[in-house]
Amino acid sequence: MQQEALLKNEFYHIRNIYLTVAISVGYLLLSVLLVDFKTDQLVLIFLFNALFYLSSGTRKFILGFSIFIVYWILFDYMKAFPNYLFNTVHIEDLYNLEKNTFGMNYHGLILTPNEYWKINSTSFLDVLTGFFYLMWVPVPLAFATYLFFKNKKQFVWFSLTFVWVNLLGFVVYYAFPAAPPWYVQEHGFEFIAKTAGNTAGLARFDHYFGITLFHGIYSKGSNVFAAMPSLHSSYPVIVVYYGLKNRLGKINIFFFTVMLGIWFSAVYTSHHYTLDVLAGVICALLGIISFDYLMRYTKLKQLVAKMIVTIDR
């Protein structure tokens, strides 16, 4: 009984309470300062604290998934620092490069793949690509959850690789601001700051089912001019890599199918050029290779080992 009481006191140690309160209040105040108050912020704070104090198992879970929470917060805060304030947005030059590289002859006209599929869209592809595009979040998170319970080391490696690839992508966003294909279709080659997000071809999915799912998602986008690289195209590459690394057998066929589906969907729905998709694939590969290098030849290995112990003990 005495030992149980001691463990309970340690679990609710005043130091932990001070720390979680400080993190929660600090996050809320910084969020209000940078991106204004949103109920999503309170939901995140409640979820984190509830899982942190519910049980030992849920504490380990939320600490592990804090890696993804940090990524989401950084992505959200990008709204406060639009990349078009730092470098010239590439619109016409990127469009012409796409047309010259991957242009398709259609009735004597050279079209970009996005333009071709916009003209030749079908209800079947509208629905199929919509479902594929919805998988870019659930599949990596579901895979991460599987790894968390199956192999803590691989979970941490996968999660850190995921965030590292995103950070590399964010660097490119600011170094090379790029307009998506739908922007050219809607606004031409003129740069318009503070352009609102657009569902583009995914609107056909919403229309088919009579819902506003994608409209709700893209109304919360951090930056319209962050089309290259396509991180939507990066994520399934990471999943496939770790799926193969963990020898998941037939499930890797599903991961590979999702990867190809998301790549095609990105172009079909006019959210990305083929060049954006290729840049996303390259970003993922560079992230995987560089993370492996850092783990082998830097002190990151010791830090990661401590993270694994924290969620595994």
Side-chain angles (χ1 to χ4, degrees), residues 108-219:
L109 296 175
I110 302 300
L111 306 177
T112 65
N114 311 101
E115 292 169 332
Y116 173 83
W117 286 114
K118 184 178 181 181
I119 295 171
N120 295 281
S121 64
T122 67
S123 295
F124 172 76
L125 288 176
D126 292 342
V127 173
L128 182 65
T129 54
F131 279 120
F132 270 124
Y133 228 53
L134 285 172
M135 292 184 186
W136 74 268
V137 170
V139 169
L141 288 182
F143 182 50
T145 302
Y146 165 81
L147 288 176
F148 178 85
F149 291 106
K150 189 72 174 179
N151 188 323
K152 294 293 195 298
K153 177 182 176 181
Q154 286 298 298
F155 164 78
V156 172
W157 280 49
F158 170 78
S159 302
L160 290 176
T161 302
F162 182 90
V163 174
W164 176 237
V165 169
N166 274 280
L167 293 177
L168 293 178
F170 293 169
V171 170
V172 179
Y173 284 167
Y174 283 92
F176 191 87
W182 64 258
Y183 181 90
V184 175
Q185 296 167 11
E186 294 285 332
H187 306 290
F189 300 126
E190 179 187 0
F191 168 67
I192 304 173
K194 298 182 180 180
T195 301
N198 194 300
T199 54
L202 291 169
R204 298 192 294 268
F205 180 93
D206 280 358
H207 178 73
Y208 184 87
F209 290 103
I211 57 178
T212 57
L213 176 61
F214 282 109
H215 174 75
I217 293 173
Y218 281 93
S219 65

Side-chain angles (χ1 to χ4, degrees), residues 66-297:
S66 292
I67 301 171
F68 292 98
I69 294 175
V70 169
Y71 148 71
W72 180 251
I73 292 173
L74 290 175
F75 180 76
D76 191 38
Y77 285 175
M78 286 174 64
K79 294 187 182 77
F81 309 98
N83 60 350
Y84 56 76
L85 297 178
F86 299 88
N87 278 300
T88 302
V89 177
H90 295 268
I91 306 175
E92 186 173 6
D93 56 346
L94 189 57
Y95 170 84
N96 288 329
L97 180 60
E98 175 79 3
K99 179 179 283 190
N100 293 334
T101 307
F102 300 104
M104 306 170 72
N105 192 314
Y106 183 70
H107 295 170
L109 296 175
I110 302 300
L111 306 177
T112 65
N114 311 101
E115 292 169 332
Y116 173 83
W117 286 114
K118 184 178 181 181
I119 295 171
N120 295 281
S121 64
T122 67
S123 295
F124 172 76
L125 288 176
D126 292 342
V127 173
L128 182 65
T129 54
F131 279 120
F132 270 124
Y133 228 53
L134 285 172
M135 292 184 186
W136 74 268
V137 170
V139 169
L141 288 182
F143 182 50
T145 302
Y146 165 81
L147 288 176
F148 178 85
F149 291 106
K150 189 72 174 179
N151 188 323
K152 294 293 195 298
K153 177 182 176 181
Q154 286 298 298
F155 164 78
V156 172
W157 280 49
F158 170 78
S159 302
L160 290 176
T161 302
F162 182 90
V163 174
W164 176 237
V165 169
N166 274 280
L167 293 177
L168 293 178
F170 293 169
V171 170
V172 179
Y173 284 167
Y174 283 92
F176 191 87
W182 64 258
Y183 181 90
V184 175
Q185 296 167 11
E186 294 285 332
H187 306 290
F189 300 126
E190 179 187 0
F191 168 67
I192 304 173
K194 298 182 180 180
T195 301
N198 194 300
T199 54
L202 291 169
R204 298 192 294 268
F205 180 93
D206 280 358
H207 178 73
Y208 184 87
F209 290 103
I211 57 178
T212 57
L213 176 61
F214 282 109
H215 174 75
I217 293 173
Y218 281 93
S219 65
K220 300 178 182 180
S222 284
N223 194 344
V224 163
F225 303 107
M228 178 180 280
S230 166
L231 289 177
H232 288 88
S233 302
S234 299
Y235 303 152
V237 176
I238 305 169
V239 172
V240 167
Y241 170 75
Y242 277 94
L244 292 172
K245 189 174 182 180
N246 285 274
R247 301 178 181 179
L248 297 186
K250 292 183 179 179
I251 193 66
N252 286 324
I253 298 175
F254 170 73
F255 288 157
F256 191 78
T257 302
V258 169
M259 180 177 70
L260 295 180
I262 289 178
W263 291 353
F264 173 71
S265 300
V267 176
Y268 176 84
T269 60
S270 289
H271 276 278
H272 291 284
Y273 291 117
T274 309
L275 291 168
D276 301 336
V277 173
L278 290 175
V281 174
I282 293 171
C283 185
L285 295 176
L286 287 177
I288 290 169
I289 293 170
S290 58
F291 179 78
D292 184 66
Y293 175 87
L294 292 172
M295 285 297 296
R296 289 175 181 270
Y297 301 107

Side-chain angles (χ1 to χ4, degrees), residues 9-31:
N9 290 336
E10 181 64 24
F11 187 77
Y12 294 105
H13 197 285
I14 190 67
R15 180 183 64 250
N16 289 333
I17 296 175
Y18 282 149
L19 183 60
T20 53
V21 169
I23 290 174
S24 299
V25 173
Y27 162 66
L28 187 60
L29 291 176
L30 186 59
S31 297

